[in-house]
Amino acid sequence: DVAAKFLERNGYTVIERNYRSGHQEIDIIARKEGFLCFVEVKTRSEGSMGRPVESVTRSKQQKIIKTTEYYIVRHPSLVEREGLQPRFDCIEVFANSEGRPVAYEYIKNAFTAN
């Protein structure tokens, strides 16, 4: 919820949340300024080691890419007619010891389909 609200406050239109294809999921699909953004949301609590984006492994990226391909096939007008360019982004949510979000980092082009 907090990641979707963060995107909306920053001018994104959220199209889908928790989009599923089989056992795979894309957390948020949003659009802004000619981009169709497939957004992975990762949260870390105070005291956790490493950045949240570091948990988006190459294996996880491949699953997101495959699910994205399925989404585009099912919704071709977004890319073909509207000309939206797919992009893979990540929102890092940093939470305090009580689990409340205290900071966000939005990473555009967090990884590529190559």
Side-chain angles (χ1 to χ4, degrees):
D1 289 339
V2 297
K5 289 176 186 173
F6 172 84
L7 287 172
E8 290 169 343
R9 281 193 311 269
N10 286 281
Y12 288 79
T13 301
V14 174
I15 299 170
E16 302 259 1
R17 291 177 55 184
N18 304 314
Y19 176 79
R20 290 186 132 349
S21 170
H23 295 292
Q24 307 308 317
E25 180 182 62
I26 297 174
D27 295 329
I28 300 173
I29 301 171
R31 64 187 296 165
K32 183 179 179 182
E33 299 172 352
F35 287 97
L36 182 60
C37 305
F38 297 89
V39 183
E40 180 70 6
V41 179
K42 291 296 180 188
T43 303
R44 289 290 178 270
S45 295
E46 191 174 64
S48 295
M49 299 299 282
R51 294 190 54 190
V53 73
E54 293 171 357
S55 66
V56 185
T57 62
R58 188 70 185 146
S59 173
K60 176 66 174 174
Q61 292 172 17
Q62 291 299 326
K63 291 174 184 176
I64 293 169
I65 290 165
K66 186 172 183 156
T67 307
T68 295
E69 290 168 349
Y70 180 79
Y71 181 84
I72 290 172
V73 166
R74 307 270 307 176
H75 302 87
S77 66
L78 291 171
V79 175
E80 293 171 6
R81 258 191 309 232
E82 295 187 45
L84 298 178
Q85 177 68 39
R87 187 176 77 197
F88 301 102
D89 298 348
C90 184
I91 295 180
E92 294 182 308
V93 180
F94 299 92
N96 64 17
S97 58
E98 289 85 40
R100 292 193 185 109
V102 295
Y104 305 90
E105 182 74 30
Y106 189 62
I107 304 165
K108 297 178 184 177
N109 292 309
F111 59 91
T112 63
N114 297 331

